[in-house]
Amino acid sequence: MPIANAGQFGYLEQEASTAYVIRLLALWNRCNFLKKLVLNMPQLQEGNQELWNRLAATHNLCLGQTIEHVSRNQTILVKTTSNQWEFERLIWTAPVDDFLSVADACTEEVEIFSRVRTIKRAVITCKVEGLPANIFYVIRNTLNQPLPTSYPLAIYEVDPGSKIYNFYPFMDETTTVEELESNVADCVKKLGGTQVTLMGQPLIWKWFSHFSAEDLKDGIYQRLEMLQGNQNTYFANGMTAGVSVPYGMEYAAYLVERFF
Ligand SMILES: Cc1cc2nc3c(=O)[nH]c(=O)nc-3n(C[C@H](O)[C@H](O)[C@H](O)COP(=O)(O)OP(=O)(O)OC[C@H]3O[C@@H](n4cnc5c(N)ncnc54)[C@H](O)[C@@H]3O)c2cc1C
């Protein structure tokens, strides 16, 4: 559980549905034994950017467009700040709460998407002296010895030997940036580090779109699947797929297989 909490659930450990925990473990089980043992994060390989450049070259991409309005009748009208397009189908890959704020959502979409919950987490990047190289620490035994929400639960060296470390705490409504930073300093001290230099402001993210255990029991995901294709609209995002890039890609492939 400490690894699952550090990776995904944070202070939700008591209430997150077991289904989400199993899904996370299933993802980890794809790693080989050595990877699981040292928990080292996969790094982007050389050529990754070129792959995306080549893929983009075969598509009509309109980057930097914020969708402000979606209306669906015979066709689907999508408006951004500077443009307007008409489509036959819409695949929505942004978070579903953003969909509710810009689209002509139907009753079932409102009913399902307004039940989505999220939490907040932060990434704090620091240069630290005195810690071992190439580490990936997960704080042990958080179930029996609860820590403040804003205490970093995972720490790893971004590039082996660089002394640049990422710290991963969660946040609640009361968490301040000062609190995040002082918890990092405390954690470094306890690990034997000597000097911490922040590399910038913490990056703060909305994290882990999920439903309550009650909603799961009542078949919310079945309702979500029934919604797919309704009004020629499809949803492919962290909500429908689950957290992680691999799950996102696999869900997108499943949608294509099912509908296109
Ligand atoms: C700090 C952090 C570290 C992570 N590390 C990993 C990792 O190591 N490995 C891993 O597999 N996963 C990791 N994840 C999880 C992974 O990033 C997500 O599961 C995945 O990106 C979800 O994909 P998505 O398409 O649903 O959403 P996103 O990737 O968030 O994409 C949604 C996009 O929609 C855009 N958008 C929102 N509203 C609008 C609008 N109105 N108009 C136009 N565009 C809009 C947003 O700008 C965004 O670009 C990490 C996540 C975070 C936050």
Side-chain angles (χ1 to χ4, degrees):
M1 272 319 280
I3 297 177
N5 289 342
Q8 188 162 334
F9 304 110
Y11 59 92
L12 285 184
E13 65 188 21
Q14 300 295 343
E15 58 183 89
S17 165
T18 315
Y20 292 118
V21 180
I22 291 171
R23 198 147 164 76
L24 175 65
L25 294 180
L27 189 68
W28 272 335
N29 274 336
R30 294 180 182 189
C31 297
N32 64 32
F33 179 67
L34 184 65
K35 260 212 169 101
K36 271 191 266 185
L37 205 62
V38 294
L39 288 175
N40 63 346
M41 305 284 273
Q43 304 288 329
L44 291 179
Q45 298 298 307
E46 187 110 359
N48 181 68
Q49 185 59 43
E50 183 55 23
L51 171 75
W52 293 110
N53 289 347
R54 288 191 190 181
L55 203 61
T58 60
H59 291 78
N60 178 16
L61 290 188
C62 303
L63 297 174
Q65 301 280 327
T66 299
I67 296 169
E68 294 190 329
H69 193 70
V70 173
S71 54
R72 296 165 293 174
N73 291 302
Q74 296 294 79
T75 57
I76 296 171
L77 210 60
V78 174
K79 283 188 191 163
T80 65
T81 333
S82 53
N83 276 301
Q84 174 169 315
W85 291 277
E86 208 173 346
F87 297 107
E88 288 165 0
R89 306 205 211 194
L90 172 71
I91 304 175
W92 185 264
T93 60
V96 289
D97 43 358
D98 291 320
F99 182 79
L100 287 187
S101 62
V102 299
D104 55 349
C106 69
T107 316
E108 183 68 348
E109 285 164 344
V110 174
E111 169 63 22
I112 294 175
F113 297 156
S114 54
R115 289 172 175 277
V116 174
R117 301 160 172 213
T118 53
I119 52 177
K120 261 201 295 183
R121 75 182 307 180
V123 183
I124 302 161
T125 306
C126 304
K127 181 150 198 178
V128 184
E129 299 294 335
L131 290 186
N134 203 10
I135 56 146
F136 193 128
Y137 286 143
V138 172
I139 305 279
R140 187 169 63 175
N141 209 4
T142 47
L143 284 177
N144 297 340
Q145 299 164 34
L147 288 165
T149 298
S150 55
Y151 206 87
L153 295 184
I155 303 112
Y156 86 105
E157 194 181 28
V158 176
D159 212 3
S162 64
K163 298 187 180 178
I164 310 282
Y165 297 82
N166 270 353
F167 294 77
Y168 292 89
F170 288 83
M171 301 175 73
D172 60 25
E173 313 76 52
T174 63
T175 307
T176 61
V177 169
E178 292 71 34
E179 216 174 299
L180 291 173
E181 291 172 358
S182 80
N183 283 336
V184 166
D186 182 76
C187 180
V188 166
K189 204 167 142 207
K190 289 195 169 117
L191 291 173
T194 49
Q195 200 186 328
V196 190
T197 315
L198 289 168
M199 305 294 289
Q201 284 291 305
L203 294 174
I204 296 171
W205 310 80
K206 199 160 67 173
W207 174 253
F208 181 31
S209 295
H210 65 284
F211 294 109
S212 71
E214 270 304 300
D215 284 340
L216 256 68
K217 231 186 289 162
D218 292 343
I220 194 97
Y221 276 103
Q222 284 86 336
R223 285 171 67 187
L224 190 53
E225 283 303 311
M226 298 269 287
L227 203 58
Q228 297 286 20
N230 199 16
Q231 291 185 271
N232 289 325
T233 307
Y234 309 83
F235 300 93
N237 49 38
M239 179 67 260
T240 52
V243 173
S244 86
V245 173
Y247 278 156
M249 290 165 64
E250 286 164 14
Y251 190 86
Y254 151 78
L255 265 193
V256 169
E257 190 95 331
R258 183 174 158 199
F259 289 105
F260 293 86

